[in-house]
Amino acid sequence: KILQREPDNLQALRGAASALIAQQKKGEAAAMLEILLQREPARLALREELASLYYEMGSFDKARVHLTVLARGNQADPAILLKTAQVYDRSGLESQAVEYWQRLARTSQSPEAKERLTAYYLKGGKAEEALVHLGSLLEKEPSSSKLLKRLGQIYFSLSRFPEALACFERYIFLKP
């Protein structure tokens, strides 16, 4: 109704979108936020809110479009990079998610990004690449039995048996 009565009143549209979100009418709120974004495309906070709303709704393709725009900047906020990587993963686009996991690992030293990169590289048969990220995780958590076990497995797969043995011995020592 607001769109029909006051289509140019951006404050009214914003208020209506907020009210719809509060009422858990997220689909209608998203439609209203899309209209607002068309009228004010430079408002990054609005784009971020819309992306988050789509993410909460499970509309990962729509969230990805907005998050990708937000993450394009060289100095993108780590929270945006994280959500962008997650939405690519949830959309089944793991290879595209890697770009954002890499940026996040470089800019914020994110443990989640390093874990995801480790898993990605292991899955792709790139154990040496995985070692880089796993090693930095282990530096932050030297008594993590989970990380030690994984590191031992990687060393073993690379036929680096002395390092594998050292990791497994430490793993057994730390395991209750």
Side-chain angles (χ1 to χ4, degrees), residues 107-123:
T107 60
S108 72
Q109 300 299 310
S110 163
E112 181 180 356
K114 290 177 182 189
E115 286 177 23
R116 300 293 271 199
L117 288 168
T118 298
Y120 175 78
Y121 289 128
L122 285 174
K123 187 176 168 184

Side-chain angles (χ1 to χ4, degrees), residues 3 27 41 44 52 92 97 113 120 157:
L3 281 174
L44 298 180
S52 293
Y120 175 78
S157 74

Side-chain angles (χ1 to χ4, degrees), residues 22-58:
Q23 294 174 27
Q24 297 298 310
K25 296 181 180 179
K26 294 179 180 179
E28 293 174 52
M32 198 152 297
L33 291 175
E34 286 284 5
I35 292 167
L36 277 168
L37 190 59
Q38 287 174 0
R39 294 178 185 181
E40 297 182 283
R43 286 202 45 212
L44 298 180
L46 182 60
R47 186 175 296 277
E48 185 175 349
E49 182 179 2
L50 185 56
S52 293
L53 186 58
Y54 280 135
Y55 189 90
E56 289 173 24
M57 294 168 54

Side-chain angles (χ1 to χ4, degrees), residues 68-175:
T68 302
V69 169
L70 291 167
R72 276 193 194 130
N74 285 340
Q75 301 301 317
D77 179 346
I80 295 295
L81 292 174
L82 176 63
K83 236 180 204 170
T84 306
Q86 290 171 336
V87 82
Y88 272 97
D89 269 347
R90 289 182 178 230
S91 298
L93 301 168
E94 187 179 33
S95 60
Q96 288 94 331
V98 168
E99 171 192 342
Y100 298 100
W101 290 125
Q102 288 170 334
R103 284 178 59 192
L104 191 57
R106 278 191 311 269
T107 60
S108 72
Q109 300 299 310
S110 163
E112 181 180 356
K114 290 177 182 189
E115 286 177 23
R116 300 293 271 199
L117 288 168
T118 298
Y120 175 78
Y121 289 128
L122 285 174
K123 187 176 168 184
K126 298 178 179 179
E128 292 287 346
E129 295 270 345
L131 276 176
V132 172
H133 299 289
L134 190 57
S136 65
L137 282 170
L138 200 54
E139 285 175 16
K140 296 204 186 275
E141 292 184 64
S143 58
S144 169
S145 57
K146 175 184 152 190
L147 294 176
L148 281 166
K149 181 180 176 184
R150 188 181 292 174
L151 185 60
Q153 291 168 333
I154 294 170
Y155 281 139
F156 187 83
S157 74
L158 293 170
S159 300
R160 292 171 60 177
F161 301 120
E163 292 104 326
L165 182 60
C167 287
F168 289 133
E169 285 174 342
R170 186 136 188 254
Y171 167 77
I172 290 168
F173 178 76
L174 291 172
K175 199 75 169 149

